[in-house]
Every structure is written in structure tokens, then in C-alpha cells.
Amino acid sequence: MANLATNFLGISSPNPFWLASAPPTDKEYNVQRAFEQGWGGVVWKTLGEDPPVVNVNGPRYGAIYGPDRRLLGLNNIELITDRALDTNLEEIARVKRNWPDRAMIVSLMVPCEEAPWQKILALVEQTGADGVELNFGCPHGMSERGMGSAVGQVPEYIEMVARWCKQHSKLPVIVKLTPNITDVRFPARAARKGGADAVSLINTISSIVSIDLDNFAPTPTIDGKGSHGGYCGPAVKPIALNMVAEIARDPETAGLPISGIGGITTWRDAAEFIALGCGTVQVCTAAMTYGFKVVKEMTSGLSDWMDEKGYATIEDFRGRAAPNVTDWQYLNLNYVTKARIDQDKCISCGRCHIACEDTSHQAITNMVDGIRKFEVIDAECVGCNLCVDVCPVEDCITMERITGFDPRTKRPIPDEYANWTSHPNNPMAKERQQHAAEPVVLPDAAE
């Protein structure tokens, strides 16, 4: 049976599934229940200075649903903990004493000045917590006060605060990054430069999920008004995976430990983040949707998959996908595929045909010899796989690589790898070829 135990920055936990800093980790009662269900660790909801912040006393969440009302995305306007600092610290210490085998990370957010950071770090150390996470990602409420993403969007501030924390604490320092930025590599580089031990990402995405068309205000609505909030849940997973991959393959941050966050709902989601290099994964929306017991499905599913693949530990597959993430310009242009429809599985719904006919390449029939039938026209198929994505029957349509000759281009398919950097249609490639062909003129020795 696979061993799911993790060691992240010297912090041990029985599995890589941690609850992210959020309402589920706001108090001892919640965290106790989470550990009883099997969560490997928690990041305690963000602590700040006293007096505590004040949250709204009305709706705090907005949602995006799928057709079956499955929650796809959750928007929240809640701030950091609104409980007294001493109360949180006492509960953190008690939970850590009672659950010494679980990871206890404390999320922090105080003004961007050295003294407040030094003060709160000393208090957290006394609890016996395993590490701290610097919340540089919250996009609402706190950012207007010069904290959260207001810090996370300025690499120089990230480096400065990370350095303060390393100077004033012996605890491992994790920097939580905001996705509300052009290029996530720059704040990650700053975190490393400041001495941070790891980064966690992504925090929530600044968003308005909907407008109430009766009162013409954003949801959630407070007394007829609404505000932008932080978006999370399954819908943000692709954004999170991309940002994790960018950090994992950046030469300046390669090897920097990462705790992955963003839409993790199943064991498969977790495995994908780990395959990109994450040492742990953090979960919020799935727990808020299905309860703490969801971790049992996550751990059992991941363990079963690892057994099936022959992976004894997380480290056996961690990071294996990162080398396969590349820039578009290096993709093999001589790799040619065509769609194939399994007629035995086809239910003749026609979605593949209409998607291809209306929006793509007119490469799928809807009638053959006067009979309703869906077949791929290889001479028109560009291998885009839109038909695979819209087909409601799993594995009914698959993509098959072809070699030798492409009936669409009516040209032979070269066997060798070739990409855009050397393609004849690339102006820069032509320019390089011209420069390479120009004779080298050596200066006259007499000049």
C-alpha cells in the first residue's frame, strides 16, 4: 500500500492534503473535526493585529454552478479572522499539542512594517506551530488597507517582508502568492531572494461572479451594494496549474518548494499538482462544499492510483510532469493526429458534427449514403480534438497519430522533430538563416 506521508520543509504530515487558510480553519472546533476525518495538516485562518477586523454581517459568498447545480466556483468577500489574536493563539497551541503528527501552519497578515511582523512571529512561535504562511494574496478588503495582494503585487515588498520574517523567526516561511498579477514568476523569485523557504499558490482571483438583475448589484449583495471578492473552486484549477508550472520550470525558482492551491476537489486534482512539483496541496472549496469527510476519498483514491502505478511514495512521481511543460514554439509541428469515432459507442447525438461544422473545420459528416452517421473526413481534419471535448460519451472519439502522408495538406509527414523556431513561415527563422548564410568579413589587418 502506498505511503502518503510527506515531509515539506521538515514538516511531517501523514498525507499531503492540507486545509487552506479559510473559514474551515478559523477555530479549534473546525480543525479538531478536520483532523478526526484524516486531514494531514491545516493552514490556520489568517491572523492579524488586535483589534480584529470586522466582517460583514450578511451574505459573504457568491457562486457559479454547472447545469446540475454542481458548484464550479465560489466567490467570497470575507476578510481574515475576526476573532481576538490571543484566542486564536491559545487554540493553535492546544490543537498542536493534541495532534502532534499533523502539520500546523499559521497564516499571517499585518501592516507592511518590520515591527508588527517581528511581534506576531514571536507570538506564533510560542504556540509550537510548524511554520508560517505570509498572506500576500487576499484581493479584497485587506488589499485596500495596504496588505494582502497589495503587497503580493510588488516583488520588492515580498522580498522585504520575507527577509524580515526569516530574520525574526526560526519557523519555515511560506509565501502565499496572488494570481492577480501579470507574471507569477517575478513574485516567486522575490520570495526566494528574500529567503522564503517555499511558496504556496494560488490565492483567490479578484472577481464579480454575477449581477442581480432585480436590484442591479453584484452578488453577494449587502444592503443593495456588492463588491469584488476572491474567486476559488474547480473553475480556477487550470489557472493554478499553469502558475505552478511556470514557477517549477523557471530556472530562477526551480527546486523552490511549492504548496499547491486552486480548485483541488479530487485525488486526481491533487496528483496533477504533485506531478508538477508540489510537495503538499491545500484544499478549501471542496471541504466547504462536501464537508471534511471528502479527504477520505482523496487519500484512498490517491493511494489506489499510486498502487496501480507502482509508486511507493509521493516522491516517486512528484515533479515528473514539469519537464514536459514547454513553450508553444517548441511543440512538434510534425506530430499529426486525426479524430476517430467508435461507431459502436456513438449515440448519434450530433454534437461533434455541429461543433465542427459551425465553429471549426467541417471535418465530420452527419449523413453517409443517406443514413445519419458521423465520420471524420481526414482531408479536412486538423486534429484540434474539439469533437473529443464536446462528445458526451467518454472514449467514443479519440485522437490517433498518423505518419507518412497527411491527406489534408497533401504532403508527406516528416519523421523528424521540428518546431516553429525553424519553420519556413517564421520570419525570425528566415532572418537567422540569412545571417548564417552571409559571409563573415574579417577586418583588414592594416586598419
Side-chain angles (χ1 to χ4, degrees), residues 401-422:
R401 184 180 186 180
I402 65 169
T403 57
F405 183 82
D406 186 346
R408 182 180 68 87
T409 62
K410 297 179 174 57
R411 294 177 181 175
I413 303 172
D415 293 330
E416 65 273 10
Y417 161 86
N419 62 49
W420 174 244
T421 64
S422 59

Side-chain angles (χ1 to χ4, degrees), residues 94-116:
R94 191 155 52 240
V95 172
K96 184 58 187 175
R97 284 197 302 271
N98 293 337
W99 297 87
D101 67 325
R102 309 302 169 93
M104 173 63 75
I105 311 299
V106 179
S107 177
L108 301 175
M109 184 193 295
V110 293
C112 202
E113 301 166 4
E114 186 171 2

Side-chain angles (χ1 to χ4, degrees), residues 51-234:
V53 303
V54 177
N55 273 297
V56 295
N57 295 305
R60 300 180 185 182
Y61 305 107
I64 296 291
Y65 298 104
D68 58 355
R69 202 171 163 77
R70 186 172 72 89
L71 189 67
L72 301 180
L74 192 68
N75 170 283
N76 86 88
I77 59 170
E78 183 165 305
L79 304 182
I80 65 175
T81 184
D82 53 12
R83 303 191 309 143
L85 179 58
D86 284 348
T87 300
N88 278 292
L89 294 171
E90 291 170 5
E91 292 183 6
I92 290 168
R94 191 155 52 240
V95 172
K96 184 58 187 175
R97 284 197 302 271
N98 293 337
W99 297 87
D101 67 325
R102 309 302 169 93
M104 173 63 75
I105 311 299
V106 179
S107 177
L108 301 175
M109 184 193 295
V110 293
C112 202
E113 301 166 4
E114 186 171 2
W117 283 100
Q118 182 177 3
K119 179 180 178 180
I120 200 165
L121 285 165
L123 295 173
V124 172
E125 277 196 11
Q126 295 172 15
T127 67
D130 298 303
V132 294
E133 182 180 81
L134 315 185
N135 185 344
F136 294 155
C138 184
H140 57 276
M142 305 309 296
S143 56
E144 288 95 321
R145 309 177 195 191
M147 294 180 277
S149 63
V151 177
Q153 291 168 338
V154 184
E156 293 80 4
Y157 291 173
I158 293 174
E159 179 184 344
M160 176 178 69
V161 178
R163 183 169 285 113
W164 289 341
C165 292
K166 290 302 295 181
Q167 289 173 350
H168 296 302
S169 176
K170 296 179 181 179
L171 293 174
V173 173
I174 305 168
V175 170
K176 190 172 188 178
L177 301 179
T178 177
N180 303 299
I181 194 165
T182 304
D183 190 334
V184 76
R185 293 175 299 177
F186 289 94
R189 292 169 185 171
R192 168 168 266 187
K193 192 173 180 181
D197 299 286
V199 292
S200 58
L201 68 153
I202 59 174
N203 207 317
T204 54
I205 300 170
S206 185
S207 63
I208 292 176
V209 292
S210 63
I211 300 295
D212 186 321
L213 293 180
D214 290 320
N215 65 13
F216 295 98
T219 58
T221 306
I222 304 292
D223 193 25
K225 303 289 184 181
S227 177
H228 72 277
Y231 191 57
C232 57

Side-chain angles (χ1 to χ4, degrees), residues 2-26:
N3 178 7
L4 301 187
T6 61
N7 187 305
F8 187 73
L9 310 179
I11 303 168
S12 298
S13 58
N15 62 63
F17 296 100
W18 295 1
L19 282 171
S21 171
T25 62
D26 188 37

